[in-house]
């Protein structure tokens, strides 16, 4: 059996607009200057408090926990206000359907989102039940710690060499390699190609249609 372990934000769904809007509301409500869009997108994928710490330049006096709470509130409001906050990236549904038909592959998710956040995304897109293991910030340390990948592999009983982590950030690539899994970078998300390669990506794909052939290439070979 093989495991395709997907990151969520920036890989399966395009969450940049809702994340930037929620961050803007959180910082406004805290009376603090809103970080630039590029800075916000650079931390997508980390667990929320860790992301806030980075936005505060790891200053111990920075109110990361309070901002994380304001962010959760703002995100919840936005979900109530709008129907399609986080669209699937082009071609992703077709790729997930092809994977569903593969009897030799199980799917999983490893994300900085909460279980509640992932469930809302999957429900919205009619993808409940597709992913056999869902690892989140609720159950593991923030990426790039390898725990989410290790827990996912243990949950479905798949070896590291048969596991491909598909993600859009350096955090994903570092996490995958630290867990001994294969690292496949996607270029439609929030980190640049050279950063993905520098952090351990074994291959990069530019279109969802190229994902399955790239996965098959990594599964069939030794590093
Ligand atoms: Mg991501």
């Amino acid at each position: 059996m093989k495991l395709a372990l997907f990151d969520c934000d920036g890989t399966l769904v395009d969450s940049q607009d809702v994340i930037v809007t929620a961050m803007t509301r959180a910082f406004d409500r805290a009376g603090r200057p809103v970080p630039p869009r590029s800075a916000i997108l650079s931390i997508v994928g980390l667990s929320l408090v860790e992301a806030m710490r980075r936005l505060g330049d790891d200053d111990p006096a920075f109110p990361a926990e309070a901002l994380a709470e304001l962010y959760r509130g703002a995100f919840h409001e936005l979900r109530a206000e709008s129907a399609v906050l986080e669209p699937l990236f082009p071609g992703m549904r077709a790729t997930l359907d092809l994977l569903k038909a593969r009897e030799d592959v199980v799917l999983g998710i490893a994300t900085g989102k909460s279980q509640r956040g992932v469930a809302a995304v999957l429900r919205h897109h009619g993808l409940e039940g597709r992913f056999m293991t869902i690892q989140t910030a609720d159950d593991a340390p923030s990426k790039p710690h390898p725990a989410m990948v290790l827990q996912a592999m243990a949950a479905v009983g798949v070896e590291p060499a048969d596991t491909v982590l598909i993600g859009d950030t350096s955090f994903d690539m570092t996490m995958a390699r630290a867990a001994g899994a294969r690292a496949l970078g996607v270029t439609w998300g929030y980190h640049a190609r050279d950063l993905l390669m520098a952090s351990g990506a074994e291959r990069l794909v530019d279109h969802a249609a190229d994902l399955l052939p790239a996965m098959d290439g990594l599964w069939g070979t030794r590093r």
Side-chain angles (χ1 to χ4, degrees):
M1 191 58 69
K2 306 178 186 86
L3 172 60
L5 192 57
F6 285 89
D7 166 56
C8 188
D9 299 318
T11 299
L12 291 175
V13 297
D14 190 1
S15 32
Q16 63 173 303
D17 287 341
V18 64
I19 288 172
V20 170
T21 304
M23 280 288 182
T24 301
R25 287 191 187 182
F27 276 77
D28 279 347
R29 285 170 190 173
R32 288 181 168 267
V34 179
R37 186 180 185 93
S38 59
I40 294 171
L41 292 180
S42 76
I43 53 79
V44 175
L46 297 173
S47 299
L48 192 49
V49 174
E50 178 61 25
M52 291 299 186
R53 284 197 192 106
R54 298 246 186 142
L55 287 175
D57 293 325
D58 292 322
D59 177 355
F62 188 77
E65 303 269 357
L67 279 163
E69 201 50 49
L70 287 167
Y71 177 91
R72 281 189 202 98
F75 201 99
H76 191 69
E77 290 165 7
L78 289 165
R79 184 159 274 147
E81 288 168 17
S82 173
V84 185
L85 291 174
E86 298 163 283
L88 285 167
F89 280 105
M92 192 52 75
R93 183 176 298 280
T95 295
L96 291 174
D97 286 347
L98 285 171
L99 282 163
K100 187 184 181 188
R102 289 271 300 252
E103 292 184 353
D104 60 331
V105 180
V106 294
L107 306 186
I109 288 177
T111 178
K113 272 184 156 37
S114 62
Q115 286 285 354
R116 192 172 82 156
V118 177
V121 167
L122 296 181
R123 189 165 56 244
H124 177 75
H125 293 294
L127 294 170
E128 302 107 314
R130 297 279 189 108
F131 298 91
M132 277 190 62
T133 179
I134 298 175
Q135 302 293 329
T136 73
D138 297 343
D139 324 298
S142 178
K143 299 176 185 182
H145 192 287
M148 285 194 220
V149 178
L150 297 172
Q151 289 172 191
M153 294 189 298
V156 298
V158 174
E159 295 298 314
D162 298 321
T163 297
V164 175
L165 187 287
I166 303 107
D168 70 304
T169 66
S170 61
F171 316 127
D172 296 303
M173 302 300 106
T174 304
M175 171 178 71
R177 297 297 292 261
R182 313 305 298 263
L184 177 55
V186 305
T187 60
W188 53 80
Y190 310 137
H191 280 190
R193 309 176 69 92
D194 54 349
L195 183 53
L196 291 170
M197 292 305 291
S199 51
E202 296 175 79
R203 294 194 186 193
L204 297 180
V205 296
D206 298 321
H207 306 283
D210 299 330
L211 269 178
L212 208 42
M215 282 184 231
D216 278 326
L218 288 174
W219 279 318
T221 59
R222 294 273 145 210
R223 184 176 289 135

